[in-house]
Amino acid sequence: MTDLQDISDVGRDRRRGGYSRHGFDKVELELRAWFAEEATRRGIDVRPDRNGNIWAWWGKPGPDAVITGSHLDSVPGGGAFDGPLGVVSALQAVDLLRARGFTPSRPLAIVVFVEEEGGRFGVACLGSRLMTGAIAPEVAAKLTDADGVTFGEAAHASGFDPLRMGRDDRALSYLSAFVELHVEQGRGLDVPVGLASSILAHGRWRYTFTGEGNHAGATLIEDRRDPMLPAAQMVLAARRAATSGARATVGRLVPNPGGTNVIPSSVDVWLDARAGDEPRTREVVDRITAAARAAAEEEGCSVRVTEESWGGTVHFDAGLMSDIRGALGEGTPDLPTGAGHDAGILAAHVPTAMLFVRNPTGISHAPDEFAEADDCAAGVVALATTLEHLTR
């Protein structure tokens, strides 16, 4: 927990509680510098790639490499463990392996991916998506934050050329396995450490409801075309559509212009939808969209729906999972997760697995996210054992 404590004051959000750390903002740049310093102090060679991800190599970079790591950014008002636990555990796993007298016979690297949460630019796993070609660099460069700053502008200000971003075939050719340790984001473990079996299909959609802005006091109810009404109906429709294990969440709603005594001219609503497979997820979104369109028409408004990101169902590599379970013990449980991860993006290109550290409260993406110190230590031991097994 010492390394987590070292960064415990970085990015605290006094208004929301928890932490707000976003890709290429001042806070995340401070955390990137912290990681580079910690890796360098351990004699690990730090090399940022052209997509803004940071690689720290124990040994010479090259093919047949085993990679671990996670991310340092957060959702707005997020917890202390989501992302940083995987980065800290990777550094401490290297310490533990060295204490054991072990030197890997294959290249081993720790990677820190940029903008995993999508908290600033709206697309999750942006660094891994760029590296694998899952998003076009020209599309990524035009993504904007709440202040109108584009990802390309933020990247350039941080020393990266957005014109050079995109699929990195050389980096991908080096990878033989990727193992990401992460705090479990539900309450699915009754032991300190488990394995992820799969990730639910999930995506993000933006609904823009457009009506007529007007005066809150002078405009009669029957004369209004208020986009807030269909927006509210859409939020309720999301809850109704989330059945049989599906999840549908509206966590952000922004009226324009946003005055207390103003009927908004437009309202943007963001939907996060997840289910066991793509057809089921699409069905949930279709039901919500149909309800949104009907509500907009009834109020004399229009609605435009934009898919901002998508990730299909991920099943982690069975052979790699079996290999890891053999190293950790056959009793190591596995469980599916509804949360997206960089490991899910890489899974289409390289054998990938995830270790989960028990979350006793089941709370994540919130200030009360928690893991016991002993469980975190067990996670470090499990990761070190896994890396030793894979690189010996």
Side-chain angles (χ1 to χ4, degrees):
M1 301 292 283
T2 303
D3 285 327
L4 281 176
Q5 290 169 357
D6 286 346
I7 59 174
S8 62
D9 288 330
V10 181
R12 282 194 179 273
D13 193 317
R14 305 300 176 187
R15 180 174 69 86
R16 299 183 179 97
Y19 297 89
S20 291
R21 302 158 163 169
H22 307 307
F24 293 140
D25 69 4
K26 180 181 178 181
V27 170
E28 200 246 9
L29 291 175
E30 183 176 345
L31 291 173
R32 291 163 68 90
W34 167 84
F35 171 76
E37 181 179 344
E38 288 295 313
T40 301
R41 184 171 64 81
R42 290 168 167 82
I44 306 174
D45 183 26
V46 178
R47 302 186 181 192
D49 67 19
R50 65 174 186 263
N51 291 307
N53 309 310
I54 309 174
W55 298 75
W57 288 90
W58 182 12
K60 184 179 179 180
D64 205 29
V66 174
I67 313 297
T68 188
S70 193
H71 60 97
L72 291 169
D73 64 307
S74 75
V75 297
F81 295 84
D82 182 357
L85 179 63
V87 175
V88 163
S89 296
L91 290 169
Q92 293 186 354
V94 169
D95 294 342
L96 182 55
L97 290 175
R98 283 177 166 164
R100 292 176 180 175
F102 177 78
T103 301
S105 59
R106 297 165 62 182
L108 175 62
I110 302 170
V111 62
V112 176
F113 286 108
V114 69
E115 187 69 349
E116 191 269 358
E117 296 290 5
R120 181 175 182 185
F121 296 102
V123 175
C125 302
L126 197 50
S128 55
R129 287 180 189 273
L130 280 164
M131 188 184 85
T132 59
I135 187 171
E138 58 271 19
V139 173
K142 294 177 181 177
L143 297 171
T144 58
D145 67 11
D147 296 320
V149 178
T150 68
F151 177 73
E153 291 168 342
H156 186 268
S158 302
F160 298 95
D161 183 355
L163 297 178
R164 295 188 63 247
M165 289 182 165
R167 182 181 169 92
D168 192 336
D169 288 314
R170 183 181 182 187
L172 289 171
S173 71
Y174 283 175
L175 274 65
S176 67
F178 177 69
V179 181
E180 180 175 3
L181 180 143
H182 207 280
V183 66
E184 208 264 307
Q185 293 177 281
R187 197 162 47 222
L189 280 176
D190 55 8
V191 295
V193 179
L195 280 163
S197 59
S198 61
I199 296 176
L200 299 183
H202 61 283
R204 297 181 184 185
W205 289 261
R206 178 177 179 171
Y207 290 69
T208 300
F209 296 89
T210 302
E212 182 178 74
N214 218 324
H215 194 289
T219 309
L220 297 176
I221 294 296
E222 57 267 28
D223 292 336
R224 299 185 180 197
R225 295 194 295 118
D226 184 350
M228 187 62 78
L229 271 68
Q233 300 264 3
M234 178 243 163
V235 175
L236 296 174
R239 172 55 67 91
R240 291 194 297 268
T243 60
S244 304
R247 292 91 188 241
T249 306
V250 172
R252 185 181 174 204
L253 184 153
V254 179
N256 178 43
T260 303
N261 59 346
V262 179
I263 299 167
S265 57
S266 64
V267 179
D268 286 315
V269 184
W270 282 264
L271 170 71
D272 180 299
R274 309 173 189 233
D277 55 35
E278 178 170 354
R280 175 68 178 128
T281 307
R282 298 287 184 186
E283 178 188 349
V284 169
V285 175
D286 288 346
R287 288 178 60 189
I288 296 167
T289 300
R293 295 195 190 284
E297 183 177 358
E298 183 178 355
E299 183 63 17
C301 297
S302 63
V303 59
R304 183 177 74 254
V305 183
T306 305
E307 182 176 291
E308 293 195 335
S309 67
W310 169 255
T313 306
V314 173
H315 296 282
F316 288 111
D317 188 86
L320 180 58
M321 286 179 61
S322 177
D323 215 12
I324 294 172
R325 187 176 283 108
L328 299 183
E330 291 299 327
T332 305
D334 61 69
L335 66 159
T337 178
H341 301 280
D342 290 306
I345 302 299
L346 290 177
H349 305 272
V350 61
T352 303
M354 291 191 71
L355 296 173
F356 281 148
V357 171
R358 176 168 52 189
N359 180 338
T361 67
I363 295 173
S364 187
H365 280 191
D368 290 337
E369 182 179 82
F370 182 69
E372 297 283 358
D374 287 347
D375 288 353
C376 293
V380 172
V381 173
L383 181 60
T385 300
T386 296
L387 296 176
E388 179 177 359
H389 179 73
L390 296 176
T391 62
R392 65 167 48 132

PDB file of all heavy atoms in Angstrom, residues 336-360:
ATOM      1  N   PRO A 336     -16.870 -13.638 -14.477  1.00  0.00           N
ATOM      2  CA  PRO A 336     -17.034 -12.613 -15.526  1.00  0.00           C
ATOM      3  C   PRO A 336     -17.078 -11.236 -14.901  1.00  0.00           C
ATOM      4  O   PRO A 336     -17.312 -11.081 -13.697  1.00  0.00           O
ATOM      5  CB  PRO A 336     -18.384 -12.977 -16.153  1.00  0.00           C
ATOM      6  CG  PRO A 336     -19.151 -13.600 -15.018  1.00  0.00           C
ATOM      7  CD  PRO A 336     -18.126 -14.346 -14.199  1.00  0.00           C
ATOM      8  N   THR A 337     -16.866 -10.223 -15.720  1.00  0.00           N
ATOM      9  CA  THR A 337     -16.928  -8.857 -15.239  1.00  0.00           C
ATOM     10  C   THR A 337     -17.740  -7.997 -16.191  1.00  0.00           C
ATOM     11  O   THR A 337     -17.718  -8.213 -17.410  1.00  0.00           O
ATOM     12  CB  THR A 337     -15.521  -8.252 -15.062  1.00  0.00           C
ATOM     13  OG1 THR A 337     -15.651  -6.886 -14.641  1.00  0.00           O
ATOM     14  CG2 THR A 337     -14.726  -8.287 -16.357  1.00  0.00           C
ATOM     15  N   GLY A 338     -18.440  -7.049 -15.625  1.00  0.00           N
ATOM     16  CA  GLY A 338     -19.178  -6.093 -16.444  1.00  0.00           C
ATOM     17  C   GLY A 338     -18.378  -4.856 -16.763  1.00  0.00           C
ATOM     18  O   GLY A 338     -18.877  -3.955 -17.437  1.00  0.00           O
ATOM     19  N   ALA A 339     -17.133  -4.787 -16.281  1.00  0.00           N
ATOM     20  CA  ALA A 339     -16.299  -3.602 -16.478  1.00  0.00           C
ATOM     21  C   ALA A 339     -15.366  -3.805 -17.667  1.00  0.00           C
ATOM     22  O   ALA A 339     -14.839  -4.894 -17.873  1.00  0.00           O
ATOM     23  CB  ALA A 339     -15.482  -3.314 -15.218  1.00  0.00           C
ATOM     24  N   GLY A 340     -15.143  -2.736 -18.430  1.00  0.00           N
ATOM     25  CA  GLY A 340     -14.209  -2.785 -19.545  1.00  0.00           C
ATOM     26  C   GLY A 340     -12.791  -2.508 -19.083  1.00  0.00           C
ATOM     27  O   GLY A 340     -12.563  -1.835 -18.069  1.00  0.00           O
ATOM     28  N   HIS A 341     -11.815  -3.017 -19.834  1.00  0.00           N
ATOM     29  CA  HIS A 341     -10.408  -2.856 -19.471  1.00  0.00           C
ATOM     30  C   HIS A 341      -9.557  -2.842 -20.745  1.00  0.00           C
ATOM     31  O   HIS A 341      -9.965  -3.367 -21.783  1.00  0.00           O
ATOM     32  CB  HIS A 341      -9.942  -4.014 -18.580  1.00  0.00           C
ATOM     33  CG  HIS A 341     -10.699  -4.154 -17.305  1.00  0.00           C
ATOM     34  ND1 HIS A 341     -10.450  -3.373 -16.202  1.00  0.00           N
ATOM     35  CD2 HIS A 341     -11.725  -4.983 -16.967  1.00  0.00           C
ATOM     36  CE1 HIS A 341     -11.274  -3.727 -15.226  1.00  0.00           C
ATOM     37  NE2 HIS A 341     -12.060  -4.692 -15.669  1.00  0.00           N
ATOM     38  N   ASP A 342      -8.351  -2.294 -20.627  1.00  0.00           N
ATOM     39  CA  ASP A 342      -7.408  -2.365 -21.746  1.00  0.00           C
ATOM     40  C   ASP A 342      -7.134  -3.816 -22.130  1.00  0.00           C
ATOM     41  O   ASP A 342      -6.921  -4.120 -23.309  1.00  0.00           O
ATOM     42  CB  ASP A 342      -6.098  -1.669 -21.380  1.00  0.00           C
ATOM     43  CG  ASP A 342      -6.247  -0.158 -21.287  1.00  0.00           C
ATOM     44  OD1 ASP A 342      -6.728   0.451 -22.263  1.00  0.00           O
ATOM     45  OD2 ASP A 342      -5.889   0.418 -20.245  1.00  0.00           O
ATOM     46  N   ALA A 343      -7.142  -4.705 -21.144  1.00  0.00           N
ATOM     47  CA  ALA A 343      -6.944  -6.125 -21.438  1.00  0.00           C
ATOM     48  C   ALA A 343      -7.986  -6.634 -22.428  1.00  0.00           C
ATOM     49  O   ALA A 343      -7.700  -7.508 -23.260  1.00  0.00           O
ATOM     50  CB  ALA A 343      -6.999  -6.941 -20.149  1.00  0.00           C
ATOM     51  N   GLY A 344      -9.202  -6.098 -22.342  1.00  0.00           N
ATOM     52  CA  GLY A 344     -10.245  -6.509 -23.277  1.00  0.00           C
ATOM     53  C   GLY A 344      -9.959  -6.059 -24.700  1.00  0.00           C
ATOM     54  O   GLY A 344     -10.310  -6.751 -25.661  1.00  0.00           O
ATOM     55  N   ILE A 345      -9.348  -4.890 -24.857  1.00  0.00           N
ATOM     56  CA  ILE A 345      -8.982  -4.403 -26.187  1.00  0.00           C
ATOM     57  C   ILE A 345      -7.845  -5.248 -26.755  1.00  0.00           C
ATOM     58  O   ILE A 345      -7.871  -5.652 -27.930  1.00  0.00           O
ATOM     59  CB  ILE A 345      -8.560  -2.922 -26.122  1.00  0.00           C
ATOM     60  CG1 ILE A 345      -9.693  -2.062 -25.534  1.00  0.00           C
ATOM     61  CG2 ILE A 345      -8.153  -2.413 -27.507  1.00  0.00           C
ATOM     62  CD1 ILE A 345     -10.977  -2.079 -26.321  1.00  0.00           C
ATOM     63  N   LEU A 346      -6.852  -5.557 -25.934  1.00  0.00           N
ATOM     64  CA  LEU A 346      -5.695  -6.330 -26.401  1.00  0.00           C
ATOM     65  C   LEU A 346      -6.042  -7.779 -26.693  1.00  0.00           C
ATOM     66  O   LEU A 346      -5.325  -8.450 -27.439  1.00  0.00           O
ATOM     67  CB  LEU A 346      -4.583  -6.265 -25.360  1.00  0.00           C
ATOM     68  CG  LEU A 346      -3.882  -4.917 -25.188  1.00  0.00           C
ATOM     69  CD1 LEU A 346      -2.857  -4.986 -24.075  1.00  0.00           C
ATOM     70  CD2 LEU A 346      -3.210  -4.482 -26.477  1.00  0.00           C
ATOM     71  N   ALA A 347      -7.136  -8.265 -26.107  1.00  0.00           N
ATOM     72  CA  ALA A 347      -7.476  -9.685 -26.233  1.00  0.00           C
ATOM     73  C   ALA A 347      -7.682 -10.121 -27.675  1.00  0.00           C
ATOM     74  O   ALA A 347      -7.531 -11.303 -27.996  1.00  0.00           O
ATOM     75  CB  ALA A 347      -8.721  -9.995 -25.412  1.00  0.00           C
ATOM     76  N   ALA A 348      -8.030  -9.201 -28.556  1.00  0.00           N
ATOM     77  CA  ALA A 348      -8.214  -9.550 -29.969  1.00  0.00           C
ATOM     78  C   ALA A 348      -6.886  -9.722 -30.698  1.00  0.00           C
ATOM     79  O   ALA A 348      -6.875 -10.173 -31.849  1.00  0.00           O
ATOM     80  CB  ALA A 348      -9.042  -8.462 -30.659  1.00  0.00           C
ATOM     81  N   HIS A 349      -5.776  -9.386 -30.039  1.00  0.00           N
ATOM     82  CA  HIS A 349      -4.481  -9.374 -30.716  1.00  0.00           C
ATOM     83  C   HIS A 349      -3.419 -10.223 -30.036  1.00  0.00           C
ATOM     84  O   HIS A 349      -2.416 -10.577 -30.674  1.00  0.00           O
ATOM     85  CB  HIS A 349      -3.972  -7.930 -30.811  1.00  0.00           C
ATOM     86  CG  HIS A 349      -4.936  -7.000 -31.464  1.00  0.00           C
ATOM     87  ND1 HIS A 349      -4.970  -6.787 -32.829  1.00  0.00           N
ATOM     88  CD2 HIS A 349      -5.937  -6.235 -30.940  1.00  0.00           C
ATOM     89  CE1 HIS A 349      -5.931  -5.932 -33.114  1.00  0.00           C
ATOM     90  NE2 HIS A 349      -6.534  -5.587 -31.998  1.00  0.00           N
ATOM     91  N   VAL A 350      -3.609 -10.552 -28.774  1.00  0.00           N
ATOM     92  CA  VAL A 350      -2.584 -11.270 -28.011  1.00  0.00           C
ATOM     93  C   VAL A 350      -3.278 -12.049 -26.903  1.00  0.00           C
ATOM     94  O   VAL A 350      -4.324 -11.614 -26.393  1.00  0.00           O
ATOM     95  CB  VAL A 350      -1.564 -10.263 -27.424  1.00  0.00           C
ATOM     96  CG1 VAL A 350      -2.253  -9.278 -26.483  1.00  0.00           C
ATOM     97  CG2 VAL A 350      -0.429 -10.963 -26.707  1.00  0.00           C
ATOM     98  N   PRO A 351      -2.763 -13.225 -26.509  1.00  0.00           N
ATOM     99  CA  PRO A 351      -3.337 -13.918 -25.356  1.00  0.00           C
ATOM    100  C   PRO A 351      -3.321 -13.012 -24.122  1.00  0.00           C
ATOM    101  O   PRO A 351      -2.294 -12.443 -23.756  1.00  0.00           O
ATOM    102  CB  PRO A 351      -2.402 -15.118 -25.178  1.00  0.00           C
ATOM    103  CG  PRO A 351      -1.853 -15.378 -26.545  1.00  0.00           C
ATOM    104  CD  PRO A 351      -1.695 -14.008 -27.163  1.00  0.00           C
ATOM    105  N   THR A 352      -4.482 -12.876 -23.509  1.00  0.00           N
ATOM    106  CA  THR A 352      -4.659 -11.892 -22.435  1.00  0.00           C
ATOM    107  C   THR A 352      -5.400 -12.530 -21.264  1.00  0.00           C
ATOM    108  O   THR A 352      -6.272 -13.377 -21.457  1.00  0.00           O
ATOM    109  CB  THR A 352      -5.461 -10.684 -22.961  1.00  0.00           C
ATOM    110  OG1 THR A 352      -4.783 -10.134 -24.080  1.00  0.00           O
ATOM    111  CG2 THR A 352      -5.603  -9.611 -21.908  1.00  0.00           C
ATOM    112  N   ALA A 353      -5.027 -12.094 -20.065  1.00  0.00           N
ATOM    113  CA  ALA A 353      -5.703 -12.568 -18.858  1.00  0.00           C
ATOM    114  C   ALA A 353      -5.739 -11.432 -17.843  1.00  0.00           C
ATOM    115  O   ALA A 353      -5.012 -10.446 -17.968  1.00  0.00           O
ATOM    116  CB  ALA A 353      -4.990 -13.785 -18.272  1.00  0.00           C
ATOM    117  N   MET A 354      -6.606 -11.579 -16.842  1.00  0.00           N
ATOM    118  CA  MET A 354      -6.716 -10.592 -15.778  1.00  0.00           C
ATOM    119  C   MET A 354      -6.755 -11.278 -14.417  1.00  0.00           C
ATOM    120  O   MET A 354      -7.416 -12.314 -14.252  1.00  0.00           O
ATOM    121  CB  MET A 354      -7.975  -9.738 -15.944  1.00  0.00           C
ATOM    122  CG  MET A 354      -7.938  -8.794 -17.126  1.00  0.00           C
ATOM    123  SD  MET A 354      -9.305  -7.579 -17.075  1.00  0.00           S
ATOM    124  CE  MET A 354      -8.766  -6.546 -15.684  1.00  0.00           C
ATOM    125  N   LEU A 355      -6.049 -10.686 -13.464  1.00  0.00           N
ATOM    126  CA  LEU A 355      -6.150 -11.071 -12.065  1.00  0.00           C
ATOM    127  C   LEU A 355      -7.001 -10.037 -11.345  1.00  0.00           C
ATOM    128  O   LEU A 355      -6.830  -8.833 -11.558  1.00  0.00           O
ATOM    129  CB  LEU A 355      -4.771 -11.122 -11.416  1.00  0.00           C
ATOM    130  CG  LEU A 355      -3.781 -12.159 -11.954  1.00  0.00           C
ATOM    131  CD1 LEU A 355      -2.409 -11.952 -11.323  1.00  0.00           C
ATOM    132  CD2 LEU A 355      -4.279 -13.571 -11.683  1.00  0.00           C
ATOM    133  N   PHE A 356      -7.905 -10.491 -10.498  1.00  0.00           N
ATOM    134  CA  PHE A 356      -8.728  -9.596  -9.698  1.00  0.00           C
ATOM    135  C   PHE A 356      -8.342  -9.711  -8.229  1.00  0.00           C
ATOM    136  O   PHE A 356      -8.124 -10.810  -7.707  1.00  0.00           O
ATOM    137  CB  PHE A 356     -10.211  -9.946  -9.826  1.00  0.00           C
ATOM    138  CG  PHE A 356     -10.858  -9.443 -11.086  1.00  0.00           C
ATOM    139  CD1 PHE A 356     -11.891 -10.165 -11.685  1.00  0.00           C
ATOM    140  CD2 PHE A 356     -10.461  -8.257 -11.677  1.00  0.00           C
ATOM    141  CE1 PHE A 356     -12.501  -9.700 -12.838  1.00  0.00           C
ATOM    142  CE2 PHE A 356     -11.061  -7.789 -12.826  1.00  0.00           C
ATOM    143  CZ  PHE A 356     -12.088  -8.510 -13.411  1.00  0.00           C
ATOM    144  N   VAL A 357      -8.279  -8.559  -7.554  1.00  0.00           N
ATOM    145  CA  VAL A 357      -8.101  -8.504  -6.107  1.00  0.00           C
ATOM    146  C   VAL A 357      -9.458  -8.219  -5.483  1.00  0.00           C
ATOM    147  O   VAL A 357     -10.201  -7.353  -5.952  1.00  0.00           O
ATOM    148  CB  VAL A 357      -7.084  -7.417  -5.719  1.00  0.00           C
ATOM    149  CG1 VAL A 357      -7.062  -7.204  -4.208  1.00  0.00           C
ATOM    150  CG2 VAL A 357      -5.695  -7.786  -6.223  1.00  0.00           C
ATOM    151  N   ARG A 358      -9.784  -8.939  -4.453  1.00  0.00           N
ATOM    152  CA  ARG A 358     -11.108  -8.874  -3.815  1.00  0.00           C
ATOM    153  C   ARG A 358     -11.483  -7.448  -3.404  1.00  0.00           C
ATOM    154  O   ARG A 358     -10.669  -6.693  -2.874  1.00  0.00           O
ATOM    155  CB  ARG A 358     -11.134  -9.783  -2.591  1.00  0.00           C
ATOM    156  CG  ARG A 358     -12.416  -9.724  -1.793  1.00  0.00           C
ATOM    157  CD  ARG A 358     -12.489 -10.856  -0.780  1.00  0.00           C
ATOM    158  NE  ARG A 358     -11.300 -10.938   0.069  1.00  0.00           N
ATOM    159  CZ  ARG A 358     -11.055 -11.942   0.907  1.00  0.00           C
ATOM    160  NH1 ARG A 358     -11.925 -12.957   1.000  1.00  0.00           N
ATOM    161  NH2 ARG A 358      -9.959 -11.956   1.643  1.00  0.00           N
ATOM    162  N   ASN A 359     -12.736  -7.111  -3.664  1.00  0.00           N
ATOM    163  CA  ASN A 359     -13.319  -5.835  -3.257  1.00  0.00           C
ATOM    164  C   ASN A 359     -14.440  -6.153  -2.259  1.00  0.00           C
ATOM    165  O   ASN A 359     -15.520  -6.577  -2.667  1.00  0.00           O
ATOM    166  CB  ASN A 359     -13.872  -5.112  -4.486  1.00  0.00           C
ATOM    167  CG  ASN A 359     -14.495  -3.770  -4.185  1.00  0.00           C
ATOM    168  OD1 ASN A 359     -14.889  -3.502  -3.059  1.00  0.00           O
ATOM    169  ND2 ASN A 359     -14.610  -2.922  -5.184  1.00  0.00           N
ATOM    170  N   PRO A 360     -14.201  -5.957  -0.963  1.00  0.00           N
ATOM    171  CA  PRO A 360     -15.185  -6.426   0.029  1.00  0.00           C
ATOM    172  C   PRO A 360     -16.510  -5.693  -0.015  1.00  0.00           C
ATOM    173  O   PRO A 360     -17.539  -6.239   0.397  1.00  0.00           O
ATOM    174  CB  PRO A 360     -14.470  -6.201   1.367  1.00  0.00           C
ATOM    175  CG  PRO A 360     -13.471  -5.126   1.086  1.00  0.00           C
ATOM    176  CD  PRO A 360     -13.030  -5.333  -0.332  1.00  0.00           C
TER     177      PRO A 360
END
